[in-house]
Amino acid sequence: MGGTMNDLTLLDGGTGRELQHRGLVKRGSIWSALALRERPDVVRDIHESFIKAGADVITVNNYSVVPALLALEGMEGEFESLIYLAGDLAKRARDKCNSAVRVAGSLPPLNISYRHDLVGSEEDNIRTYRRIAEGLSQKVDLFLCETMSSGIEARAAVRAVADFGKPIWVAWSLGNNPDGRLLSGETIEEALLLLDGLPVDTYLFNCCPPESISAALPILRSLTERPIGAYANSFDVPRPERGETPLRQDITPDSYRDWVAGWIHAGARVLGGCCGIGPAHIALLRDQFDRQSTSNARTRGSS
C-alpha cells in the first residue's frame, strides 16, 4: 500500500545513544535518567537537535525513570521530580525552537527492556503507568507506549492512560528473527486482540532490527485500518562480557532512508528512529519527505 509523503509524521531518534555520543558515560541501569539530574542541558540540546533535524514529534527522556530501576540506584525518592523534569526539558526545547512539534510522553517497560518474563502483574503496571502519566500529562501532547515486549504489557499501559484525553500510540518490540512475532512469542494478531476496544490511535514497531520490522509491517497493515509506523534501532549482536551492545555499521543515514522507504511502501505513516538513530538520520528523512512532497504537489498541479 502506497501513499503520499504529505501524510507522514516524522519522529525523533534515540536519545540514549545520543547522550553517549555527547560524552556522557554509560553507567548503571538508569544512566539516561542520571543525565536528567547531572546534565539537563545536554538532554535539552538533544531534543533541540532532533527538532532542528525536522522531527514532527520528540519523545520525553523518561524511558528509564521507572521505580524498579531507580530503586537499584537508591533513587526511588526522585521518581516524581525526574518525571517532571524530563517532561519540562522536552517542552522547553520545543518552546525555544518556537516549533509546532508535538511532545510524546514515554510509557516504557517497567523493568529491564526486552524481558517479557519480567513484565509483572497488569494491575501493578497500571498503577505505575498512571503515576508516570500524571507526572507528564501537563507537558505532553500524546502518550507513546513503547518497546512493549508483550500484549499484556501494552494493554496495561493503554488502560492506564485511556482517560487522560490524549492520543495513545502503541509500539511493540519484535524478536530478532523476522517472523512477525513479539519478543513474547505472540503474533501481531494476538497482541492486537488484547487491545480490542481500547482507544489506541496508532500502532507501531520499535527498538528492534529493521529486518524484523520489514517482515511485520505488511502483517500489521492487513489487520488494522488505523495508522501504523515504525522506528528501528541499529543494535548489533550484544557483547555481555563487555557490558555493551555495539551499533551496526551498515545502518547509515543513507541506508536507513532506504529501509524507511520500504516501510512507507508497506503502508507506514509514522516513521523515526530508536537507539543508534541520530539527528543525521532524521535530517535525511526530513529532506527526502519534503522533496517527495514537493514533487507530488508539482505533479498534481500539472495534471
Side-chain angles (χ1 to χ4, degrees):
M1 182 182 296
T4 72
M5 294 288 178
N6 302 55
D7 60 351
L8 300 181
T9 297
L10 183 58
L11 307 177
D12 58 3
T15 302
R17 287 295 175 134
E18 195 63 22
L19 285 166
Q20 287 182 264
H21 292 160
R22 301 189 187 210
L24 276 79
V25 178
K26 181 178 180 180
R27 66 184 195 277
S29 57
I30 58 163
W31 56 281
S32 62
L34 289 172
L36 293 167
R37 186 172 69 178
E38 298 174 2
R39 293 301 307 273
D41 57 320
V42 177
V43 174
R44 190 181 66 182
D45 285 348
I46 291 171
H47 288 316
E48 291 177 14
S49 293
F50 281 120
I51 293 172
K52 293 172 182 176
D56 299 309
V57 178
I58 58 170
T59 302
V60 176
N61 181 45
N62 67 289
Y63 187 88
S64 62
V65 185
V66 296
L69 298 183
L70 291 174
L72 296 176
E73 306 292 336
M75 293 172 56
E76 57 267 47
E78 298 183 48
F79 174 72
E80 277 80 10
S81 62
L82 289 175
I83 284 286
Y84 182 87
L85 175 58
D88 191 55
L89 290 170
K91 186 175 182 298
R92 284 162 56 191
R94 192 244 318 260
D95 293 346
K96 182 179 177 181
C97 294
N98 193 26
S99 169
V101 69
R102 286 179 287 172
V103 175
S106 175
L107 297 180
L110 298 178
N111 209 307
I112 300 171
S113 296
Y114 320 121
R115 291 288 303 274
H116 66 90
D117 56 315
L118 299 179
V119 165
S121 77
E122 186 168 5
E123 293 307 316
D124 285 346
N125 289 347
I126 289 173
R127 283 191 287 271
T128 301
Y129 281 130
R130 283 197 67 86
R131 290 178 66 195
I132 294 172
E134 286 164 357
L136 292 174
S137 61
Q138 299 303 310
K139 305 290 184 180
V140 304
D141 303 294
L142 63 97
F143 288 113
L144 175 58
C145 313
E146 59 177 344
T147 322
M148 300 283 98
S149 62
S150 71
I152 291 295
E153 184 176 33
R155 187 169 71 181
V158 174
R159 286 180 61 196
V161 297
D163 60 354
F164 277 77
K166 296 181 185 293
I168 302 170
W169 297 358
V170 170
W172 296 288
S173 192
L174 301 161
N176 289 340
N177 296 318
D179 58 3
R181 289 179 178 268
L182 276 59
L183 288 167
S184 61
E186 294 165 283
T187 65
I188 298 165
E189 184 173 15
E190 289 169 337
L192 275 171
L193 284 173
L194 286 173
L195 297 178
D196 189 44
L198 293 173
V200 180
D201 296 273
T202 301
Y203 296 109
L204 308 103
F205 300 121
N206 86 296
C207 211
C208 50
E211 290 87 350
S212 297
I213 289 173
S214 292
L217 272 174
I219 300 172
L220 180 60
R221 180 71 291 166
S222 72
L223 294 170
T224 181
E225 295 182 356
R226 296 179 188 176
I228 64 172
Y231 52 115
N233 65 35
S234 63
F235 283 159
D236 204 340
V237 178
R239 297 174 183 166
E241 73 282 358
R242 294 172 56 178
E244 67 177 32
T245 302
L247 300 179
R248 289 169 54 171
Q249 297 303 304
D250 63 316
I251 301 184
T252 63
D254 284 322
S255 68
Y256 193 67
R257 177 184 56 187
D258 293 339
W259 283 109
V260 169
W263 302 340
I264 293 170
H265 183 72
R269 290 294 170 265
V270 181
L271 295 311
C274 207
C275 308
I277 304 302
H281 297 76
I282 300 305
L284 195 61
L285 292 178
R286 177 81 277 161
D287 181 68
Q288 179 64 26
F289 293 179
D290 289 348
R291 286 174 180 270
Q292 189 62 47
S293 179
T294 300
S295 175
N296 289 343
R298 288 174 177 168
T299 299
R300 288 193 300 273
S302 61
S303 60

